[in-house]
Coordinates of all heavy atoms in Angstrom, one line a residue:
M1 N 0.0 16.2 -80.6 CA -0.8 15.7 -79.5 C -1.4 16.7 -78.7 O -0.7 17.7 -78.3 CB 0.2 14.8 -78.5 CG -0.4 13.7 -77.9 SD 0.7 12.8 -76.8 CE 1.8 12.0 -77.9
S2 N -2.8 16.6 -78.5 CA -3.5 17.7 -77.7 C -3.3 17.4 -76.3 O -3.2 16.4 -75.8 CB -4.9 17.7 -78.2 OG -5.5 16.5 -77.8
A3 N -3.5 18.5 -75.6 CA -3.6 18.5 -74.1 C -4.8 17.9 -73.6 O -5.8 18.0 -74.1 CB -3.3 19.9 -73.5
G4 N -4.6 17.1 -72.5 CA -5.9 16.5 -71.9 C -5.5 15.6 -70.8 O -4.3 15.7 -70.3
P5 N -6.5 15.0 -70.2 CA -6.1 14.2 -68.9 C -5.3 13.1 -69.2 O -4.6 12.5 -68.3 CB -7.5 13.7 -68.4 CG -8.3 13.7 -69.7 CD -7.8 14.9 -70.5
I6 N -5.1 12.6 -70.4 CA -4.4 11.4 -70.9 C -3.4 11.9 -71.9 O -3.9 12.3 -73.0 CB -5.1 10.3 -71.3 CG1 -6.1 9.7 -70.2 CG2 -4.2 9.1 -71.7 CD1 -7.1 8.8 -70.5
R7 N -2.2 11.7 -71.7 CA -1.1 12.0 -72.8 C -0.3 10.8 -73.1 O 0.8 10.6 -72.5 CB -0.3 13.2 -72.4 CG -1.0 14.5 -72.3 CD -0.2 15.5 -71.8 NE -1.0 16.7 -71.5 CZ -0.6 17.9 -71.1 NH1 0.8 18.0 -71.0 NH2 -1.3 18.9 -70.9
P8 N -0.8 9.9 -74.1 CA 0.1 8.8 -74.2 C 1.4 9.1 -74.9 O 1.5 10.0 -75.7 CB -0.8 7.9 -75.3 CG -1.9 8.8 -75.7 CD -2.0 10.0 -74.8
S9 N 2.3 8.4 -74.5 CA 3.7 8.5 -75.1 C 3.9 7.7 -76.3 O 3.0 7.0 -76.6 CB 4.8 8.3 -73.9 OG 4.7 6.9 -73.8
S10 N 5.0 7.9 -76.9 CA 5.4 7.0 -78.1 C 5.5 5.6 -77.7 O 5.5 4.8 -78.6 CB 6.6 7.6 -78.8 OG 7.7 7.6 -77.9
T11 N 5.7 5.3 -76.5 CA 5.7 3.9 -76.0 C 4.6 3.3 -75.6 O 4.5 2.2 -75.0 CB 6.9 3.8 -74.9 OG1 6.5 4.6 -73.9 CG2 8.2 4.2 -75.5
A12 N 3.4 4.0 -75.7 CA 2.1 3.5 -75.3 C 1.7 2.2 -75.9 O 2.1 2.0 -77.0 CB 0.9 4.6 -75.5
H13 N 1.1 1.4 -75.2 CA 0.6 0.0 -75.8 C -0.7 0.1 -76.3 O -1.3 -0.9 -76.7 CB 0.6 -1.1 -74.6 CG 2.1 -1.3 -74.0 ND1 3.0 -2.0 -74.7 CD2 2.7 -0.7 -73.0 CE1 4.2 -1.9 -74.1 NE2 3.9 -1.2 -73.0
T14 N -1.4 1.2 -76.4 CA -2.7 1.3 -77.0 C -2.9 2.6 -77.8 O -2.0 3.5 -77.7 CB -3.8 1.4 -75.9 OG1 -5.0 1.2 -76.5 CG2 -3.6 2.5 -75.0
V15 N -3.8 2.7 -78.6 CA -4.2 4.0 -79.3 C -5.5 4.4 -78.9 O -6.4 3.7 -78.8 CB -4.1 3.7 -80.9 CG1 -4.6 4.9 -81.6 CG2 -2.8 3.1 -81.3
L16 N -5.6 5.7 -78.7 CA -6.9 6.3 -78.3 C -7.7 6.7 -79.5 O -7.2 7.2 -80.5 CB -6.6 7.6 -77.5 CG -5.9 7.4 -76.2 CD1 -5.8 8.6 -75.4 CD2 -6.8 6.4 -75.2
H17 N -9.0 6.4 -79.5 CA -9.8 6.7 -80.7 C -10.9 7.7 -80.1 O -11.3 7.6 -79.0 CB -10.5 5.5 -81.1 CG -9.6 4.4 -81.6 ND1 -8.9 4.6 -82.9 CD2 -9.1 3.3 -81.0 CE1 -8.2 3.5 -83.0 NE2 -8.2 2.7 -81.9
P18 N -11.4 8.6 -81.0 CA -12.3 9.6 -80.6 C -13.7 8.9 -80.2 O -13.9 7.8 -80.8 CB -12.5 10.5 -81.8 CG -11.8 9.8 -83.0 CD -10.9 8.9 -82.3
V19 N -14.4 9.4 -79.3 CA -15.6 8.9 -78.9 C -16.7 9.2 -80.0 O -16.8 10.3 -80.4 CB -16.0 9.4 -77.5 CG1 -17.4 8.9 -77.2 CG2 -15.1 8.9 -76.5
T20 N -17.5 8.2 -80.3 CA -18.5 8.5 -81.3 C -19.9 8.2 -80.6 O -20.0 7.3 -79.7 CB -18.4 7.6 -82.5 OG1 -18.4 6.2 -82.1 CG2 -17.1 7.8 -83.4
P21 N -20.9 8.9 -81.0 CA -22.2 8.7 -80.3 C -22.7 7.3 -80.6 O -22.6 6.8 -81.6 CB -23.2 9.7 -81.0 CG -22.2 10.7 -81.7 CD -20.9 10.0 -82.0
A22 N -23.3 6.8 -79.4 CA -23.8 5.4 -79.6 C -25.4 5.6 -79.9 O -26.0 6.4 -79.3 CB -23.6 4.6 -78.4
R23 N -25.9 4.6 -80.5 CA -27.4 4.5 -80.8 C -27.9 3.2 -80.5 O -27.3 2.1 -80.8 CB -27.7 4.8 -82.4 CG -27.3 6.2 -82.8 CD -27.9 6.3 -84.2 NE -27.5 7.7 -84.7 CZ -28.4 8.6 -84.6 NH1 -29.6 8.5 -84.1 NH2 -28.1 9.9 -85.2
I24 N -28.8 3.3 -79.6 CA -29.5 2.1 -79.1 C -30.9 2.0 -79.9 O -31.8 2.8 -79.7 CB -29.7 2.0 -77.7 CG1 -28.4 2.1 -77.0 CG2 -30.5 0.9 -77.3 CD1 -28.5 2.3 -75.5
S25 N -31.0 1.1 -80.9 CA -32.2 1.1 -81.8 C -33.0 -0.1 -81.8 O -34.0 -0.2 -82.5 CB -31.7 1.6 -83.3 OG -30.7 0.6 -83.7
G26 N -32.5 -1.1 -81.2 CA -33.3 -2.3 -81.3 C -33.0 -3.3 -80.2 O -32.0 -3.0 -79.4
A27 N -33.7 -4.4 -80.2 CA -33.4 -5.5 -79.4 C -33.5 -5.2 -77.9 O -34.3 -4.4 -77.5 CB -32.0 -6.1 -79.7
F28 N -32.7 -5.8 -77.1 CA -32.9 -5.9 -75.5 C -32.9 -4.5 -75.0 O -33.9 -4.2 -74.3 CB -31.7 -6.7 -75.0 CG -31.6 -6.7 -73.6 CD1 -32.4 -7.7 -73.0 CD2 -30.9 -5.9 -72.8 CE1 -32.4 -7.9 -71.5 CE2 -30.9 -6.1 -71.4 CZ -31.7 -7.1 -70.8
W29 N -31.9 -3.6 -75.3 CA -31.9 -2.3 -74.5 C -32.9 -1.3 -75.0 O -33.4 -0.5 -74.3 CB -30.4 -1.8 -74.6 CG -29.6 -2.6 -73.7 CD1 -28.5 -3.3 -74.1 CD2 -29.6 -2.6 -72.3 NE1 -27.9 -3.9 -73.0 CE2 -28.6 -3.4 -71.9 CE3 -30.4 -2.2 -71.4 CZ2 -28.3 -3.7 -70.5 CZ3 -30.2 -2.4 -70.0 CH2 -29.2 -3.2 -69.7
A30 N -33.2 -1.4 -76.3 CA -34.3 -0.4 -76.8 C -35.6 -0.7 -76.2 O -36.3 0.3 -75.8 CB -34.4 -0.7 -78.4
A31 N -36.0 -2.0 -75.8 CA -37.2 -2.2 -75.3 C -37.2 -1.6 -73.8 O -38.3 -1.1 -73.4 CB -37.6 -3.7 -75.3
R32 N -36.1 -1.8 -73.1 CA -36.1 -1.4 -71.8 C -36.0 0.2 -71.7 O -36.6 0.8 -70.9 CB -34.7 -2.0 -71.2 CG -35.1 -3.3 -70.5 CD -34.1 -4.3 -70.8 NE -34.7 -5.6 -70.5 CZ -35.2 -6.5 -71.2 NH1 -35.5 -6.2 -72.5 NH2 -35.7 -7.7 -70.9
R33 N -35.4 0.8 -72.6 CA -35.4 2.3 -72.8 C -36.8 2.8 -73.0 O -37.2 3.8 -72.4 CB -34.4 2.8 -73.9 CG -32.9 2.5 -73.4 CD -32.0 3.0 -74.5 NE -32.5 4.4 -75.1 CZ -31.7 5.4 -75.1 NH1 -30.5 5.4 -74.5 NH2 -32.2 6.5 -75.6
L34 N -37.5 2.1 -73.8 CA -39.0 2.4 -74.1 C -39.8 2.4 -72.9 O -40.5 3.3 -72.4 CB -39.5 1.6 -75.3 CG -40.8 2.0 -75.7 CD1 -40.9 3.5 -76.3 CD2 -41.3 1.0 -76.8
T35 N -39.6 1.2 -72.1 CA -40.3 1.1 -70.8 C -39.9 2.2 -69.9 O -40.8 2.8 -69.2 CB -40.0 -0.3 -70.2 OG1 -40.4 -1.3 -71.2 CG2 -40.7 -0.4 -68.8
N36 N -38.7 2.6 -69.7 CA -38.3 3.6 -68.9 C -38.9 4.9 -69.3 O -39.4 5.7 -68.5 CB -36.7 3.7 -68.8 CG -36.1 2.7 -68.0 OD1 -36.7 2.2 -67.0 ND2 -34.8 2.6 -68.2
A37 N -38.9 5.2 -70.6 CA -39.5 6.4 -71.0 C -41.0 6.6 -70.9 O -41.5 7.7 -70.5 CB -39.1 6.7 -72.5
E38 N -41.6 5.6 -71.1 CA -43.1 5.6 -71.0 C -43.7 5.3 -69.7 O -44.8 5.7 -69.4 CB -43.6 4.6 -72.1 CG -43.4 5.0 -73.5 CD -44.0 4.0 -74.5 OE1 -44.4 2.9 -74.1 OE2 -43.9 4.4 -75.8
V39 N -43.1 4.4 -68.8 CA -43.6 3.9 -67.6 C -42.8 4.4 -66.5 O -43.4 5.1 -65.6 CB -43.8 2.4 -67.7 CG1 -44.4 1.9 -66.3 CG2 -44.6 2.0 -68.8
S40 N -41.6 3.9 -66.3 CA -40.8 4.2 -65.2 C -40.5 5.6 -64.8 O -40.7 6.1 -63.6 CB -39.4 3.5 -65.2 OG -39.7 2.1 -65.5
I41 N -40.1 6.4 -65.7 CA -39.7 7.7 -65.5 C -41.0 8.7 -65.1 O -40.9 9.4 -64.1 CB -39.0 8.4 -66.6 CG1 -37.5 7.7 -66.6 CG2 -38.7 9.9 -66.4 CD1 -36.6 7.9 -67.7
P42 N -42.0 8.4 -65.8 CA -43.2 9.3 -65.5 C -43.8 8.9 -64.1 O -44.4 9.7 -63.4 CB -44.3 8.8 -66.6 CG -43.4 8.6 -67.8 CD -42.2 7.9 -67.1
Q43 N -43.6 7.6 -63.6 CA -44.1 7.3 -62.4 C -43.2 7.8 -61.2 O -43.6 7.8 -60.0 CB -44.2 5.7 -62.2 CG -45.3 5.1 -63.0 CD -45.3 3.6 -62.7 OE1 -44.5 3.1 -61.9 NE2 -46.3 3.0 -63.4
G44 N -42.0 8.2 -61.5 CA -41.0 8.5 -60.5 C -41.5 9.5 -59.4 O -41.3 9.1 -58.2
P45 N -42.0 10.7 -59.8 CA -42.3 11.7 -58.8 C -43.3 11.1 -57.7 O -43.3 11.3 -56.5 CB -42.9 12.9 -59.5 CG -42.2 12.8 -60.7 CD -42.0 11.3 -61.1
R46 N -44.4 10.4 -58.3 CA -45.5 9.9 -57.5 C -44.9 8.8 -56.5 O -45.1 8.8 -55.3 CB -46.6 9.4 -58.3 CG -47.7 8.8 -57.4 CD -48.8 8.2 -58.3 NE -48.5 7.2 -59.2 CZ -48.2 5.9 -59.1 NH1 -48.3 5.4 -57.9 NH2 -47.8 5.1 -60.0
R47 N -44.0 8.0 -57.0 CA -43.5 6.8 -56.3 C -42.6 7.3 -55.1 O -42.5 6.8 -54.1 CB -42.8 5.8 -57.1 CG -43.6 5.1 -58.3 CD -44.7 4.3 -57.6 NE -44.0 3.2 -56.9 CZ -44.0 1.9 -57.4 NH1 -44.6 1.6 -58.5 NH2 -43.4 1.0 -56.5
L48 N -41.7 8.4 -55.5 CA -40.8 9.0 -54.5 C -41.6 9.8 -53.5 O -41.2 9.7 -52.3 CB -39.9 10.0 -55.3 CG -38.8 9.2 -56.2 CD1 -38.1 10.2 -57.0 CD2 -37.7 8.5 -55.3
E49 N -42.7 10.3 -53.8 CA -43.6 11.0 -52.8 C -44.2 10.0 -51.8 O -44.1 10.2 -50.6 CB -44.5 11.8 -53.5 CG -45.3 12.8 -52.6 CD -44.5 14.1 -52.2 OE1 -44.0 14.8 -53.0 OE2 -44.3 14.1 -50.9
E50 N -44.7 8.9 -52.5 CA -45.4 7.8 -51.6 C -44.4 7.2 -50.7 O -44.7 6.9 -49.6 CB -45.9 6.8 -52.6 CG -47.2 7.1 -53.3 CD -47.5 6.1 -54.4 OE1 -46.9 5.1 -54.5 OE2 -48.7 6.4 -55.0
A51 N -43.2 7.1 -51.0 CA -42.1 6.4 -50.2 C -41.5 7.5 -49.2 O -40.8 7.0 -48.4 CB -41.0 5.9 -51.2
G52 N -41.8 8.7 -49.3 CA -41.2 9.6 -48.4 C -40.0 10.4 -48.8 O -39.5 11.1 -47.9
N53 N -39.4 9.9 -49.9 CA -38.1 10.5 -50.4 C -38.2 12.0 -50.5 O -37.3 12.7 -50.0 CB -37.7 9.8 -51.6 CG -37.5 8.3 -51.5 OD1 -38.5 7.6 -51.4 ND2 -36.3 7.9 -51.5
L54 N -39.2 12.4 -51.3 CA -39.3 13.9 -51.5 C -39.7 14.7 -50.2 O -39.2 15.7 -50.0 CB -40.4 14.2 -52.6 CG -40.0 13.5 -53.9 CD1 -41.0 13.8 -54.9 CD2 -38.7 14.0 -54.4
G55 N -40.5 14.1 -49.3 CA -40.9 14.7 -48.0 C -39.6 14.9 -47.2 O -39.5 16.0 -46.5
N56 N -38.7 13.9 -47.2 CA -37.5 14.0 -46.5 C -36.6 15.0 -46.9 O -35.9 15.8 -46.2 CB -36.8 12.6 -46.4 CG -37.4 11.7 -45.4 OD1 -38.1 12.0 -44.5 ND2 -37.2 10.3 -45.7
L57 N -36.5 15.3 -48.3 CA -35.7 16.3 -48.8 C -36.3 17.7 -48.6 O -35.6 18.6 -48.1 CB -35.6 16.1 -50.4 CG -34.5 15.1 -50.9 CD1 -34.6 15.1 -52.4 CD2 -33.2 15.4 -50.4
R58 N -37.6 17.8 -48.5 CA -38.2 19.0 -48.2 C -37.9 19.4 -46.8 O -37.7 20.5 -46.4 CB -39.6 19.0 -48.5 CG -40.1 19.3 -49.9 CD -41.6 19.5 -50.0 NE -42.4 18.4 -49.7 CZ -42.6 17.3 -50.7 NH1 -42.1 17.4 -51.9 NH2 -43.3 16.3 -50.4
A59 N -38.0 18.4 -45.8 CA -37.8 18.6 -44.4 C -36.3 19.0 -44.2 O -36.1 20.0 -43.3 CB -38.1 17.3 -43.6
A60 N -35.5 18.4 -44.9 CA -34.1 18.7 -44.8 C -33.7 20.2 -45.3 O -33.0 20.9 -44.7 CB -33.1 17.9 -45.5
A61 N -34.4 20.5 -46.3 CA -34.2 21.9 -47.0 C -34.8 23.0 -46.2 O -34.2 24.0 -46.1 CB -34.7 21.8 -48.5
T62 N -36.0 22.7 -45.6 CA -36.7 23.8 -44.8 C -36.4 23.8 -43.3 O -36.6 24.8 -42.7 CB -38.2 23.8 -45.1 OG1 -38.6 22.4 -44.6 CG2 -38.5 23.9 -46.6
G63 N -36.0 22.7 -42.9 CA -35.8 22.5 -41.4 C -37.1 22.2 -40.8 O -37.1 22.1 -39.5
D64 N -38.1 22.1 -41.5 CA -39.5 21.8 -40.9 C -39.8 20.3 -41.1 O -39.4 19.7 -42.2 CB -40.6 22.6 -41.6 CG -40.4 24.0 -41.4 OD1 -39.8 24.4 -40.3 OD2 -40.8 24.8 -42.3
G65 N -40.3 19.7 -40.1 CA -40.8 18.3 -40.2 C -39.7 17.4 -39.7 O -38.5 17.8 -39.3
D66 N -39.9 16.0 -39.7 CA -39.1 15.1 -39.2 C -38.7 14.0 -40.4 O -39.6 13.8 -41.3 CB -39.6 14.3 -37.9 CG -39.9 15.2 -36.9 OD1 -38.9 16.0 -36.6 OD2 -40.8 15.1 -36.1
F67 N -37.7 13.4 -40.2 CA -37.3 12.4 -41.1 C -38.1 11.2 -40.9 O -38.5 10.8 -39.8 CB -35.8 11.8 -40.9 CG -35.4 10.8 -41.7 CD1 -35.0 10.7 -42.9 CD2 -35.5 9.5 -41.0 CE1 -34.7 9.6 -43.6 CE2 -35.1 8.3 -41.8 CZ -34.7 8.4 -43.1
T68 N -38.6 10.6 -42.0 CA -39.5 9.4 -42.0 C -38.8 8.2 -42.8 O -38.0 8.6 -43.8 CB -40.8 9.7 -42.5 OG1 -40.7 10.0 -43.9 CG2 -41.7 10.6 -41.8
G69 N -38.9 7.1 -42.4 CA -38.4 5.9 -43.1 C -37.2 5.2 -42.3 O -36.9 5.7 -41.2
D70 N -36.6 4.2 -42.9 CA -35.7 3.4 -42.3 C -34.3 3.8 -42.6 O -33.3 3.4 -41.8 CB -36.0 2.0 -42.6 CG -37.3 1.4 -42.1 OD1 -37.7 1.9 -41.0 OD2 -37.9 0.6 -42.7
F71 N -34.1 4.5 -43.7 CA -32.8 4.7 -44.3 C -32.4 6.1 -44.4 O -33.2 6.9 -45.1 CB -32.5 3.9 -45.5 CG -32.9 2.4 -45.5 CD1 -34.0 2.0 -46.0 CD2 -32.0 1.6 -44.8 CE1 -34.3 0.6 -46.0 CE2 -32.3 0.2 -44.8 CZ -33.4 -0.2 -45.3
P72 N -31.4 6.6 -43.8 CA -31.1 8.0 -43.9 C -30.6 8.5 -45.3 O -30.3 9.7 -45.6 CB -30.0 8.3 -42.8 CG -29.3 6.9 -42.7 CD -30.5 5.9 -42.9
F73 N -30.3 7.6 -46.0 CA -29.8 7.9 -47.5 C -30.8 7.8 -48.6 O -30.6 7.5 -49.7 CB -28.6 6.9 -47.8 CG -28.8 5.4 -47.7 CD1 -29.6 4.8 -48.5 CD2 -28.5 4.9 -46.3 CE1 -29.9 3.4 -48.3 CE2 -28.8 3.5 -46.2 CZ -29.4 2.7 -47.1
Q74 N -32.1 8.1 -48.3 CA -33.1 7.9 -49.3 C -33.0 9.0 -50.4 O -33.6 8.9 -51.4 CB -34.5 8.2 -48.6 CG -34.9 7.1 -47.8 CD -36.3 7.2 -47.3 OE1 -36.6 8.2 -46.8 NE2 -37.1 6.2 -47.5
D75 N -32.2 10.1 -50.1 CA -32.0 11.1 -51.3 C -31.4 10.4 -52.5 O -31.6 10.9 -53.6 CB -31.1 12.2 -50.9 CG -29.8 11.8 -50.3 OD1 -29.6 10.6 -49.8 OD2 -28.8 12.7 -50.4
S76 N -30.7 9.3 -52.4 CA -29.9 8.7 -53.5 C -31.0 8.2 -54.5 O -30.7 8.4 -55.7 CB -29.0 7.6 -53.1 OG -29.8 6.6 -52.5
D77 N -32.2 7.8 -54.1 CA -33.1 7.4 -54.9 C -33.7 8.7 -55.8 O -34.0 8.5 -57.0 CB -34.3 6.7 -54.2 CG -34.0 5.5 -53.6 OD1 -33.0 4.8 -54.0 OD2 -34.8 5.1 -52.7
V78 N -33.8 9.8 -55.2 CA -34.2 11.1 -55.9 C -33.2 11.3 -56.9 O -33.5 11.6 -58.1 CB -34.5 12.2 -55.0 CG1 -34.9 13.4 -55.8 CG2 -35.6 11.8 -53.9
H79 N -31.8 11.2 -56.6 CA -30.9 11.6 -57.5 C -30.8 10.6 -58.6 O -30.5 11.0 -59.8 CB -29.5 11.7 -56.8 CG -29.4 12.7 -55.8 ND1 -29.2 14.0 -56.2 CD2 -29.3 12.6 -54.5 CE1 -29.2 14.7 -55.0 NE2 -29.2 13.9 -54.0
K80 N -31.0 9.3 -58.4 CA -31.1 8.4 -59.5 C -32.1 8.6 -60.5 O -32.0 8.5 -61.7 CB -31.2 7.0 -59.0 CG -30.0 6.5 -58.2 CD -30.2 5.1 -57.5 CE -29.2 4.8 -56.5 NZ -29.5 3.5 -55.7
W81 N -33.4 9.0 -59.9 CA -34.5 9.3 -60.8 C -34.1 10.5 -61.6 O -34.5 10.5 -62.9 CB -35.8 9.4 -60.0 CG -36.9 9.9 -60.9 CD1 -37.6 9.0 -61.7 CD2 -37.4 11.2 -61.2 NE1 -38.6 9.8 -62.5 CE2 -38.4 11.1 -62.1 CE3 -37.0 12.4 -60.7 CZ2 -39.0 12.3 -62.5 CZ3 -37.6 13.5 -61.1 CH2 -38.7 13.4 -62.1
L82 N -33.6 11.6 -61.1 CA -33.2 12.8 -61.7 C -32.3 12.5 -62.9 O -32.4 13.0 -64.0 CB -32.6 13.8 -60.7 CG -33.7 14.6 -59.8 CD1 -32.9 15.3 -58.8 CD2 -34.7 15.4 -60.7
E83 N -31.4 11.7 -62.6 CA -30.4 11.4 -63.7 C -31.1 10.6 -64.8 O -30.8 10.8 -66.1 CB -29.3 10.5 -63.2 CG -28.3 10.1 -64.1 CD -27.0 9.4 -63.6 OE1 -27.1 9.0 -62.4 OE2 -26.1 9.2 -64.3
A84 N -32.0 9.7 -64.5 CA -32.7 8.8 -65.5 C -33.6 9.7 -66.3 O -33.7 9.5 -67.5 CB -33.5 7.8 -64.8
A85 N -34.3 10.8 -65.7 CA -35.2 11.5 -66.4 C -34.6 12.7 -67.2 O -35.1 13.3 -68.1 CB -36.0 12.3 -65.3
S86 N -33.2 13.0 -67.0 CA -32.6 14.0 -67.7 C -32.1 13.6 -69.0 O -32.0 12.4 -69.4 CB -31.4 14.6 -66.9 OG -30.5 13.6 -66.6

């Protein structure tokens, strides 16, 4: 048994299987992934700039400027976009 975060004992009620890469090649999710790749992700920087998200991060990083917007947690939208784009 290899060391890791989970060490099942001989009395475990399940068997662990190695993770295999998943492929999304058709139907429902493939169409949405294509839309994200071709439309949503490329629009991200412009939309985040228009909404003030990137300006707020610049203001926080430099100490120049004031927060704009209604919600102080606008940085989460930037993080979500970065995760989607990566």
